[in-house]
């Protein structure tokens, strides 16, 4: 199982986890430094969801580092099922957060004829783009994990 | 495989497909009968995404009916992989559409202090709720299909 790219305890798996952390932290940083995000429920939800993503991915990254340093393979089926469920839940929450924020961003930029908040506008777009990147990486991890559990 | 609840060619599978069609058609009907949906990109995207969902789920429902009437089991691995990919794509699009529309609905109902469009507001909420119900049923189908492919 160790040779399966993206599985827990592999270099690819660790890279995916670090990418998830990086994109999520970037998204939070970009959104939280705007002055008006708290007026929008979807933007607050984006921060909460990305925060959960960071905690989850960081925890699994630490586990990957431990497994790599001890040259241990993580193929405990209960642990893998837990990872698969966690990945699926965080992936769903991240996509929902990214999409709802994107809906509002598009509303302000296109439907209402342009965003008038200056620098804030770029930050909103950046936060949404990073949230989608974070979702792509967690979706890959989630599919790999689900495959590992199902293939037994 | 025929006894696996929710697999293609089973009664549960057919029920899930019909529920997906029903919820998606309801969501489209509720959104398309409002007079202002075309002003919002997210609402137009919801209609497009739910339309794709109806076509996909109806096609698979017809296949399920055929398999049930001929008492055939659909366990061709290429066909199953195609269903798994299609289900995953439509599930992702449905969740993104439901979440982006929900973001705008919450913006109008809560963040901007209440929706002032009268009957339209109820229709927006109804369309979003039905889109989420449609996503839940397609997500179940998608997980079952992916499990069947991975367990091979």
């Amino acid at each position: 199982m160790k040779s399966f790219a993206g599985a827990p305890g592999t270099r690819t798996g660790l890279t995916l986890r670090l990418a998830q952390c990086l994109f999520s932290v970037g998204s939070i940083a970009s959104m939280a430094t705007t002055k008006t995000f708290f007026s929008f429920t979807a933007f607050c939800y984006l921060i909460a969801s990305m925060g959960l993503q960071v905690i989850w991915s960081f925890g699994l990254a630490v586990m990957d580092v431990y497994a790599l340093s001890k040259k241990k393979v993580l193929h405990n089926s209960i642990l893998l099922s837990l990872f698969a469920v966690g990945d699926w839940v965080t992936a769903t929450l991240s996509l929902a957060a990214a999409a709802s924020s994107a809906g509002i961003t598009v509303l302000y930029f296109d439907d209402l004829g342009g965003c008038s908040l200056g620098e804030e506008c770029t930050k909103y777009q950046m936060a949404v783009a990073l949230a989608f990147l974070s979702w792509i990486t967690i979706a890959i991890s989630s599919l790999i994990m689900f495959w590992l559990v199902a293939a037994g």
Side-chain angles (χ1 to χ4, degrees), chain A:
Chain A
M1 189 186 294
K2 183 124 175 154
S3 60
F4 195 119
T10 60
R11 279 177 199 278
T12 333
L14 179 61
T15 312
L16 277 172
R17 297 292 168 199
L18 292 179
Q20 287 155 27
C21 284
L22 202 75
F23 291 137
S24 303
V25 167
S27 180
I28 294 173
S30 188
M31 188 56 87
T33 49
T34 62
K35 283 175 198 139
T36 45
F37 78 87
F38 50 81
S39 316
F40 302 91
T41 309
F43 292 165
C44 297
Y45 170 53
L46 182 83
I47 292 182
S49 172
M50 288 292 116
L52 179 70
Q53 185 69 72
V54 171
I55 296 168
W56 175 257
S57 297
F58 186 74
L60 291 197
V62 169
M63 206 171 278
D64 279 348
V65 169
Y66 174 79
L68 277 170
S69 66
K70 296 275 180 192
K71 295 193 190 298
K72 267 191 171 181
V73 187
L74 297 170
H75 57 186
N76 179 314
S77 67
I78 298 172
L79 211 60
L80 277 183
S81 306
L82 184 78
F83 292 168
V85 171
D87 270 351
W88 194 81
V89 170
T90 52
T92 305
L93 292 178
S94 292
L95 176 60
S100 57
S101 300
I104 291 181
T105 313
V106 170
L107 179 80
Y108 273 89
F109 276 81
D110 293 333
D111 303 342
L112 301 179
C115 176
S116 57
L117 296 165
E119 202 194 333
E120 308 268 289
C121 305
T122 321
K123 285 187 174 176
Y124 289 154
Q125 285 182 311
M126 185 73 87
V128 169
L130 286 169
F132 271 112
L133 286 174
S134 169
W135 168 71
I136 290 170
T137 49
I138 182 76
I140 296 169
S141 284
S142 166
L143 288 175
I144 291 170
M145 216 57 85
F146 197 72
W147 188 278
L148 282 172
V149 172

